[in-house]
Coordinates of all heavy atoms in Angstrom, one line a residue:
M6 N 132.0 68.2 263.6 CA 131.9 66.7 263.5 C 131.0 66.3 262.4 O 130.0 67.0 262.1 CB 131.4 66.1 264.8 CG 132.2 66.4 266.1 SD 133.7 65.4 266.2 CE 133.1 64.0 267.1
A7 N 131.4 65.3 261.7 CA 130.5 64.8 260.6 C 130.6 63.3 260.6 O 131.6 62.7 261.0 CB 131.1 65.4 259.3
T8 N 129.5 62.7 260.1 CA 129.4 61.2 260.1 C 129.7 60.7 258.8 O 129.1 61.1 257.8 CB 127.9 60.9 260.6 OG1 127.7 61.5 261.8 CG2 127.8 59.4 260.6
C9 N 130.5 59.6 258.8 CA 130.8 58.9 257.5 C 129.6 58.2 257.0 O 128.9 57.5 257.7 CB 131.9 57.9 257.8 SG 132.3 56.9 256.4
E10 N 129.3 58.4 255.7 CA 128.1 57.8 255.2 C 128.3 56.3 254.8 O 127.3 55.6 254.5 CB 127.6 58.6 253.9 CG 128.5 58.6 252.8 CD 128.1 59.5 251.7 OE1 128.0 60.7 251.9 OE2 127.8 59.0 250.6
V11 N 129.5 55.8 255.0 CA 129.7 54.3 254.7 C 129.6 53.5 256.1 O 128.9 52.6 256.2 CB 131.1 54.1 254.0 CG1 131.4 52.6 254.0 CG2 131.0 54.7 252.6
C12 N 130.4 54.0 257.0 CA 130.5 53.2 258.3 C 129.8 53.8 259.5 O 129.6 53.2 260.5 CB 132.0 52.9 258.6 SG 132.9 54.4 259.1
G13 N 129.4 55.1 259.3 CA 128.7 55.7 260.4 C 129.5 56.3 261.5 O 129.0 56.8 262.5
N14 N 130.9 56.3 261.3 CA 131.7 56.9 262.3 C 131.6 58.4 262.4 O 131.7 59.1 261.3 CB 133.2 56.5 262.0 CG 134.2 56.9 263.1 OD1 133.8 57.0 264.3 ND2 135.4 57.1 262.7
D15 N 131.4 58.9 263.5 CA 131.4 60.4 263.7 C 132.7 60.9 264.1 O 133.3 60.6 265.2 CB 130.4 60.7 264.9 CG 130.1 62.2 264.9 OD1 130.5 63.0 264.1 OD2 129.3 62.6 265.9
Y16 N 133.4 61.5 263.1 CA 134.9 61.8 263.3 C 135.2 63.2 263.0 O 134.7 63.8 262.0 CB 135.6 60.9 262.2 CG 137.1 60.9 262.2 CD1 137.8 60.9 263.4 CD2 137.8 60.9 261.0 CE1 139.2 60.9 263.4 CE2 139.2 60.9 261.0 CZ 139.9 60.9 262.2 OH 141.2 60.9 262.2
W17 N 136.0 63.8 263.9 CA 136.3 65.3 263.7 C 137.1 65.6 262.5 O 137.1 66.7 262.0 CB 136.9 65.8 265.0 CG 138.4 65.4 265.2 CD1 138.8 64.2 265.8 CD2 139.5 66.1 264.9 NE1 140.2 64.1 265.8 CE2 140.7 65.3 265.3 CE3 139.8 67.4 264.3 CZ2 142.0 65.7 265.1 CZ3 141.1 67.8 264.2 CH2 142.2 67.0 264.5
M18 N 137.8 64.6 261.9 CA 138.5 64.9 260.7 C 137.9 64.4 259.4 O 138.5 64.2 258.4 CB 140.0 64.4 260.8 CG 140.9 65.2 261.7 SD 142.6 65.0 261.3 CE 142.9 63.4 262.0
A19 N 136.6 64.1 259.5 CA 135.8 63.6 258.3 C 135.9 64.7 257.3 O 136.1 65.9 257.5 CB 134.4 63.4 258.7
F20 N 135.9 64.2 256.0 CA 136.0 65.2 254.9 C 134.9 64.9 253.8 O 134.3 63.9 253.9 CB 137.4 65.0 254.3 CG 137.7 63.6 253.8 CD1 137.4 63.2 252.5 CD2 138.3 62.7 254.7 CE1 137.7 61.9 252.1 CE2 138.5 61.4 254.3 CZ 138.3 61.0 253.0
E21 N 134.8 65.9 252.9 CA 133.8 65.8 251.9 C 134.4 65.5 250.5 O 135.5 66.1 250.2 CB 132.9 67.0 251.8 CG 132.1 67.2 253.1 CD 131.2 68.5 253.0 OE1 131.5 69.4 252.1 OE2 130.2 68.5 253.7
V22 N 133.8 64.8 249.7 CA 134.2 64.6 248.3 C 133.0 65.1 247.4 O 131.9 64.7 247.6 CB 134.5 63.1 248.0 CG1 134.8 62.9 246.5 CG2 135.6 62.6 248.8
R23 N 133.3 66.0 246.5 CA 132.3 66.5 245.6 C 132.4 65.9 244.2 O 133.5 65.8 243.6 CB 132.4 68.0 245.5 CG 131.1 68.6 244.8 CD 131.1 70.2 244.8 NE 131.7 70.7 246.1 CZ 132.7 71.6 246.1 NH1 133.2 72.0 244.9 NH2 133.2 72.0 247.2
T24 N 131.3 65.4 243.7 CA 131.4 64.7 242.4 C 131.1 65.7 241.2 O 130.7 66.9 241.5 CB 130.3 63.6 242.3 OG1 129.0 64.2 242.4 CG2 130.5 62.6 243.4
V25 N 131.3 65.3 240.0 CA 131.1 66.2 238.8 C 129.7 66.7 238.8 O 129.4 67.8 238.2 CB 131.5 65.5 237.5 CG1 133.0 65.4 237.4 CG2 130.8 64.2 237.3
N26 N 128.7 66.0 239.3 CA 127.3 66.4 239.2 C 126.9 67.3 240.4 O 125.7 67.6 240.5 CB 126.3 65.3 239.0 CG 126.3 64.3 240.2 OD1 126.8 64.6 241.2 ND2 125.7 63.2 240.0
G27 N 127.9 67.6 241.2 CA 127.6 68.5 242.3 C 127.2 67.9 243.6 O 127.1 68.5 244.7
A28 N 127.0 66.6 243.6 CA 126.7 65.8 244.9 C 127.9 65.9 245.8 O 129.0 65.8 245.4 CB 126.3 64.4 244.6
T29 N 127.6 65.9 247.1 CA 128.7 65.9 248.1 C 128.5 64.7 249.0 O 127.4 64.3 249.5 CB 128.6 67.1 249.0 OG1 128.7 68.3 248.1 CG2 129.7 67.2 250.0
H30 N 129.6 64.0 249.3 CA 129.6 62.8 250.1 C 130.6 63.0 251.3 O 131.7 63.6 251.1 CB 130.0 61.5 249.3 CG 129.1 61.3 248.2 ND1 128.0 60.5 248.3 CD2 129.1 61.6 246.9 CE1 127.3 60.4 247.2 NE2 128.0 61.1 246.3
T31 N 130.3 62.5 252.4 CA 131.1 62.7 253.6 C 131.7 61.3 254.1 O 131.0 60.3 254.2 CB 130.3 63.3 254.8 OG1 129.7 64.5 254.3 CG2 131.1 63.5 256.0
F32 N 133.0 61.3 254.3 CA 133.7 60.1 254.7 C 134.6 60.4 255.9 O 135.2 61.5 256.0 CB 134.5 59.5 253.6 CG 133.7 59.3 252.3 CD1 133.7 60.1 251.2 CD2 132.8 58.2 252.3 CE1 133.0 59.9 250.1 CE2 132.0 57.9 251.1 CZ 132.1 58.8 250.1
D33 N 134.9 59.3 256.7 CA 135.9 59.4 257.7 C 137.3 58.9 257.3 O 138.2 59.1 258.1 CB 135.4 58.7 259.0 CG 135.4 57.2 258.8 OD1 135.3 56.8 257.6 OD2 135.4 56.5 259.8
S34 N 137.4 58.3 256.1 CA 138.6 57.7 255.7 C 138.6 57.6 254.2 O 137.5 57.5 253.6 CB 138.9 56.4 256.4 OG 137.9 55.4 255.9
F35 N 139.8 57.5 253.6 CA 139.9 57.2 252.2 C 139.3 55.8 251.9 O 138.8 55.6 250.8 CB 141.3 57.3 251.7 CG 141.8 58.7 251.6 CD1 142.8 59.2 252.5 CD2 141.3 59.6 250.7 CE1 143.2 60.5 252.5 CE2 141.7 61.0 250.6 CZ 142.7 61.4 251.5
E36 N 139.6 54.9 252.8 CA 139.0 53.6 252.6 C 137.5 53.6 252.4 O 137.0 52.9 251.5 CB 139.4 52.7 253.8 CG 139.0 51.2 253.7 CD 139.5 50.4 254.9 OE1 140.1 51.0 255.8 OE2 139.4 49.2 254.8
C37 N 136.8 54.3 253.2 CA 135.4 54.4 253.1 C 135.0 55.1 251.8 O 134.0 54.7 251.1 CB 134.7 55.1 254.3 SG 134.7 54.0 255.8
A38 N 135.8 56.2 251.4 CA 135.5 56.9 250.2 C 135.6 55.9 249.0 O 134.8 56.0 248.0 CB 136.4 58.1 250.0
I39 N 136.7 55.1 249.0 CA 136.9 54.1 247.9 C 135.8 53.1 247.9 O 135.2 52.8 246.8 CB 138.3 53.4 248.1 CG1 139.4 54.4 247.8 CG2 138.3 52.2 247.3 CD1 140.7 53.9 248.4
Q40 N 135.3 52.6 249.0 CA 134.2 51.7 249.1 C 133.0 52.2 248.4 O 132.3 51.5 247.6 CB 134.0 51.4 250.5 CG 132.8 50.4 250.8 CD 133.0 49.0 250.2 OE1 134.1 48.6 250.1 NE2 131.9 48.4 249.8
K41 N 132.7 53.5 248.6 CA 131.5 54.1 248.1 C 131.7 54.6 246.7 O 130.8 54.5 245.8 CB 131.1 55.3 249.0 CG 130.0 56.1 248.5 CD 128.6 55.6 248.9 CE 127.5 56.5 248.5 NZ 126.2 56.1 249.0
M42 N 132.8 55.2 246.3 CA 132.9 56.0 245.1 C 133.8 55.4 244.0 O 133.7 55.8 242.8 CB 133.4 57.4 245.5 CG 132.6 58.0 246.5 SD 132.8 59.8 246.5 CE 132.0 60.3 245.0
A43 N 134.7 54.5 244.3 CA 135.7 54.1 243.3 C 134.9 53.3 242.2 O 134.1 52.4 242.5 CB 136.8 53.2 243.9
P44 N 135.2 53.6 240.9 CA 134.6 52.7 239.9 C 135.2 51.3 239.9 O 136.2 51.1 240.5 CB 135.0 53.5 238.6 CG 136.1 54.4 239.0 CD 136.1 54.6 240.4
I45 N 134.5 50.4 239.3 CA 134.9 49.0 239.3 C 135.2 48.6 237.9 O 134.5 48.8 237.0 CB 133.7 48.1 239.9 CG1 133.5 48.5 241.4 CG2 134.0 46.6 239.7 CD1 132.3 47.8 242.0
C46 N 136.4 47.9 237.8 CA 136.9 47.5 236.5 C 135.9 46.5 235.9 O 135.4 45.6 236.5 CB 138.3 46.8 236.7 SG 138.9 46.1 235.1
E47 N 135.5 46.8 234.6 CA 134.5 45.9 234.0 C 135.1 44.6 233.5 O 134.3 43.7 233.1 CB 133.9 46.6 232.8 CG 133.2 47.9 233.2 CD 132.0 48.3 232.3 OE1 131.6 47.4 231.5 OE2 131.6 49.4 232.3
H48 N 136.4 44.4 233.6 CA 137.0 43.1 233.3 C 137.3 42.2 234.5 O 136.8 41.1 234.6 CB 138.2 43.3 232.5 CG 138.8 42.0 232.0 ND1 138.2 41.1 231.2 CD2 140.0 41.4 232.3 CE1 138.9 40.0 231.0 NE2 140.1 40.2 231.7
C49 N 138.0 42.8 235.5 CA 138.4 42.0 236.6 C 137.7 42.3 237.9 O 137.9 41.7 239.0 CB 139.9 42.1 236.8 SG 140.5 43.7 237.5
Q50 N 136.8 43.4 237.9 CA 136.0 43.7 239.0 C 136.8 44.3 240.2 O 136.2 44.4 241.3 CB 135.1 42.5 239.5 CG 133.8 42.4 238.7 CD 134.1 41.9 237.3 OE1 134.7 40.8 237.2 NE2 133.6 42.6 236.3
T51 N 138.0 44.6 240.0 CA 138.8 45.3 241.1 C 138.3 46.7 241.2 O 137.8 47.3 240.2 CB 140.3 45.2 240.9 OG1 140.9 45.6 242.1 CG2 140.7 46.2 239.8
K52 N 138.4 47.3 242.4 CA 138.1 48.8 242.6 C 139.2 49.6 242.0 O 140.4 49.3 242.2 CB 137.9 49.1 244.0 CG 136.6 48.5 244.6 CD 136.0 49.4 245.6 CE 134.7 48.8 246.2 NZ 133.5 49.2 245.5
I53 N 138.8 50.6 241.2 CA 139.9 51.4 240.5 C 140.2 52.6 241.4 O 139.5 53.5 241.6 CB 139.4 51.9 239.2 CG1 138.9 50.7 238.3 CG2 140.4 52.8 238.5 CD1 138.2 51.1 237.1
V54 N 141.4 52.5 242.1 CA 141.8 53.4 243.1 C 142.8 54.5 242.4 O 142.8 55.6 242.8 CB 142.5 52.7 244.2 CG1 143.0 53.7 245.3 CG2 141.5 51.8 244.9
G55 N 143.5 54.1 241.4 CA 144.4 55.0 240.7 C 143.7 55.6 239.5 O 142.5 55.7 239.5
H56 N 144.4 56.0 238.5 CA 143.8 56.7 237.4 C 142.9 55.7 236.6 O 141.9 56.2 236.1 CB 144.9 57.2 236.4 CG 145.6 58.4 237.1 ND1 146.8 58.2 237.7 CD2 145.3 59.7 237.1 CE1 147.2 59.4 238.2 NE2 146.4 60.3 237.8
G57 N 143.3 54.5 236.3 CA 142.5 53.6 235.5 C 142.4 54.2 234.1 O 143.1 55.1 233.7
V58 N 141.6 53.5 233.3 CA 141.4 54.0 231.9 C 139.9 53.9 231.6 O 139.2 53.1 232.2 CB 142.2 53.2 230.9 CG1 143.7 53.4 231.0 CG2 141.8 51.7 230.9
E59 N 139.4 54.8 230.8 CA 138.0 54.9 230.3 C 138.0 54.7 228.8 O 138.7 55.4 228.1 CB 137.4 56.2 230.7 CG 135.9 56.3 230.4 CD 135.3 57.6 230.7 OE1 136.0 58.5 231.2 OE2 134.2 57.9 230.3
V60 N 137.3 53.7 228.4 CA 137.1 53.5 227.0 C 135.6 53.3 226.7 O 134.9 52.5 227.3 CB 137.8 52.2 226.5 CG1 137.6 51.9 225.0 CG2 139.3 52.2 226.8
S61 N 135.1 54.2 225.8 CA 133.7 54.1 225.4 C 132.8 54.2 226.6 O 131.7 53.5 226.7 CB 133.4 52.9 224.6 OG 134.3 52.7 223.5
G62 N 133.2 55.0 227.6 CA 132.3 55.2 228.7 C 132.4 54.1 229.8 O 131.6 54.0 230.7
R63 N 133.3 53.1 229.6 CA 133.4 52.0 230.5 C 134.8 52.1 231.2 O 135.8 52.5 230.5 CB 133.3 50.7 229.8 CG 132.0 50.5 229.0 CD 132.1 49.4 228.0 NE 131.7 48.1 228.7 CZ 131.8 47.0 228.0 NH1 132.1 46.9 226.8 NH2 131.4 45.9 228.6
F64 N 134.9 51.8 232.5 CA 136.1 51.9 233.3 C 136.8 50.6 233.4 O 136.2 49.6 233.7 CB 135.7 52.5 234.6 CG 135.2 53.9 234.6 CD1 133.8 54.2 234.5 CD2 136.1 55.0 234.5 CE1 133.4 55.5 234.4 CE2 135.6 56.3 234.4 CZ 134.3 56.6 234.4
F65 N 138.1 50.7 233.3 CA 139.0 49.6 233.5 C 140.2 50.0 234.4 O 140.6 51.1 234.4 CB 139.5 49.1 232.2 CG 138.4 48.7 231.2 CD1 138.0 49.6 230.3 CD2 137.8 47.5 231.3 CE1 137.0 49.3 229.4 CE2 136.8 47.1 230.4 CZ 136.4 48.0 229.5
C66 N 140.7 49.0 235.1 CA 141.8 49.3 236.1 C 143.1 49.5 235.3 O 144.0 50.2 235.8 CB 141.9 48.2 237.1 SG 142.5 46.6 236.4
C67 N 143.3 48.9 234.1 CA 144.5 49.0 233.4 C 144.3 48.7 231.9 O 143.2 48.3 231.5 CB 145.5 48.0 234.0 SG 145.0 46.3 233.7
A68 N 145.4 49.0 231.2 CA 145.2 48.8 229.7 C 144.9 47.3 229.4 O 144.2 47.0 228.4 CB 146.5 49.2 229.0
H69 N 145.5 46.4 230.1 CA 145.3 45.0 229.8 C 143.8 44.7 229.9 O 143.3 44.0 229.0 CB 146.0 44.1 230.8 CG 145.5 42.7 230.9 ND1 144.6 42.4 231.9 CD2 145.7 41.6 230.1 CE1 144.2 41.1 231.7 NE2 144.9 40.6 230.6
C70 N 143.1 45.1 230.9 CA 141.7 44.9 231.1 C 140.9 45.6 229.9 O 139.9 45.0 229.4 CB 141.2 45.3 232.4 SG 141.7 44.1 233.7
A71 N 141.3 46.8 229.6 CA 140.6 47.5 228.5 C 140.7 46.7 227.2 O 139.8 46.5 226.4 CB 141.2 48.9 228.3
R72 N 141.9 46.2 226.9 CA 142.2 45.4 225.7 C 141.3 44.1 225.7 O 140.8 43.7 224.7 CB 143.6 45.0 225.6 CG 144.5 46.2 225.1 CD 145.9 45.7 224.6 NE 146.6 45.0 225.7 CZ 147.4 45.7 226.6 NH1 147.6 47.0 226.4 NH2 148.1 45.1 227.5
A73 N 141.2 43.5 226.9 CA 140.5 42.2 227.0 C 139.0 42.4 226.6 O 138.3 41.5 226.1 CB 140.6 41.7 228.4
V74 N 138.5 43.6 226.9 CA 137.0 43.8 226.7 C 136.7 44.6 225.5 O 135.7 44.4 224.8 CB 136.4 44.4 228.0 CG1 134.9 44.8 227.8 CG2 136.5 43.5 229.2
E75 N 137.5 45.6 225.2 CA 137.1 46.7 224.2 C 137.7 46.5 222.8 O 137.4 47.3 221.9 CB 137.5 48.0 224.7 CG 136.6 48.6 225.8 CD 135.2 48.9 225.3 OE1 135.0 49.2 224.1 OE2 134.2 48.9 226.1
G76 N 138.4 45.4 222.6 CA 138.8 45.1 221.2 C 139.7 46.3 220.6 O 140.7 46.7 221.2
A77 N 139.3 46.8 219.4 CA 140.1 47.7 218.7 C 140.4 49.0 219.5 O 141.6 49.4 219.5 CB 139.4 48.1 217.4
Q78 N 139.4 49.6 220.1 CA 139.6 50.8 220.9 C 140.5 50.5 222.1 O 141.4 51.3 222.5 CB 138.3 51.5 221.3 CG 137.9 52.6 220.4 CD 136.8 53.4 221.0 OE1 135.7 52.9 221.3 NE2 137.1 54.6 221.2
G79 N 140.3 49.4 222.7 CA 141.0 49.0 223.9 C 142.5 48.7 223.5 O 143.4 49.0 224.3
A80 N 142.7 48.3 222.3 CA 144.1 48.0 221.9 C 145.0 49.2 221.8 O 146.2 49.1 221.8 CB 144.0 47.3 220.5
E81 N 144.3 50.4 221.7 CA 145.1 51.6 221.6 C 145.5 52.2 223.0 O 146.3 53.1 223.1 CB 144.3 52.7 220.9 CG 144.0 52.3 219.4 CD 143.1 53.3 218.7 OE1 142.9 54.4 219.3 OE2 142.5 53.0 217.7
V82 N 144.9 51.6 224.0 CA 145.2 52.1 225.4 C 146.6 51.5 225.8 O 146.8 50.3 225.7 CB 144.1 51.7 226.3 CG1 144.4 52.1 227.8 CG2 142.8 52.3 225.9
R83 N 147.4 52.3 226.4 CA 148.7 51.9 227.0 C 148.8 52.4 228.4 O 148.6 53.5 228.7 CB 149.8 52.5 226.1 CG 149.9 52.0 224.7 CD 150.6 50.6 224.7 NE 150.6 50.1 223.3 CZ 149.7 49.4 222.7 NH1 148.5 49.2 223.3 NH2 149.8 49.0 221.4
D84 N 149.3 51.5 229.3 CA 149.7 51.9 230.6 C 151.0 52.6 230.5 O 151.9 52.1 229.8 CB 149.8 50.7 231.5 CG 148.5 50.2 232.0 OD1 147.5 51.0 232.1 OD2 148.4 49.0 232.1
A85 N 151.2 53.8 231.2 CA 152.5 54.4 231.3 C 153.4 53.6 232.2 O 154.6 53.4 231.9 CB 152.4 55.8 231.7
V86 N 152.9 53.2 233.3 CA 153.7 52.4 234.2 C 153.9 51.0 233.7 O 152.9 50.3 233.3 CB 153.1 52.4 235.6 CG1 153.8 51.5 236.6 CG2 152.9 53.8 236.2
G87 N 155.1 50.5 233.7 CA 155.4 49.2 233.2 C 155.6 49.1 231.7 O 155.9 48.0 231.2
A88 N 155.4 50.2 231.0 CA 155.6 50.1 229.6 C 157.1 50.1 229.3 O 157.9 50.9 229.8 CB 155.0 51.3 228.9
R89 N 157.5 49.1 228.5 CA 158.9 49.0 228.2 C 159.2 49.9 227.0 O 158.5 49.9 226.0 CB 159.2 47.5 227.8 CG 160.7 47.2 227.7 CD 160.9 45.8 227.3 NE 160.7 44.9 228.5 CZ 161.0 43.6 228.5 NH1 161.5 43.1 227.5 NH2 160.8 42.9 229.6
P90 N 160.3 50.8 227.1 CA 160.6 51.7 226.0 C 161.0 50.9 224.8 O 161.6 49.8 224.9 CB 161.9 52.4 226.6 CG 161.9 52.1 228.0 CD 161.2 50.9 228.3
A91 N 160.5 51.4 223.6 CA 160.7 50.7 222.4 C 162.2 50.8 221.9 O 162.9 51.8 222.3 CB 159.8 51.3 221.3
Ligands
ZN2 ZN1 133.8 55.4 257.3
ZN3 ZN1 140.9 45.2 235.7

């Protein structure tokens, strides 16, 4: 049994997520893991649950948000989903 560090639920199927710096976090659900660990888009403040994009060390939920904030570098970012073939 392990206790979720977000909601405190002691759950037999709790799981661990290990970060790049070696820290380990325990959650009872993906929802709680997202609450604690998902990066937040610097343009629209939504939690980034999918791949998102990173430009100059800043995280965005999609190419549109990266373009809105990052100017020239952001303009090079393209979402694969929803991209209309040329
Ligand atoms: Zn939880
Ligand atoms: Zn966004």
Side-chain angles (χ1 to χ4, degrees):
M6 299 284 271
T8 303
C9 175
E10 63 186 64
V11 172
C12 70
N14 186 28
D15 191 4
Y16 184 39
W17 71 277
M18 286 202 288
F20 57 93
E21 294 183 340
V22 175
R23 192 172 327 125
T24 65
V25 289
N26 66 12
T29 302
H30 299 274
T31 303
F32 304 105
D33 66 338
S34 66
F35 287 110
E36 185 175 6
C37 286
I39 288 165
Q40 175 65 27
K41 172 89 178 188
M42 304 199 72
I45 295 171
C46 177
E47 295 209 17
H48 181 62
C49 70
Q50 276 72 56
T51 193
K52 292 212 181 266
I53 303 169
V54 177
H56 291 95
V58 294
E59 183 186 355
V60 180
S61 308
R63 304 166 83 182
F64 292 94
F65 302 96
C66 68
C67 64
H69 161 264
C70 287
R72 284 196 296 274
V74 174
E75 283 291 336
Q78 263 195 295
E81 295 174 19
V82 177
R83 292 282 179 275
D84 284 324
V86 174
R89 190 178 285 190

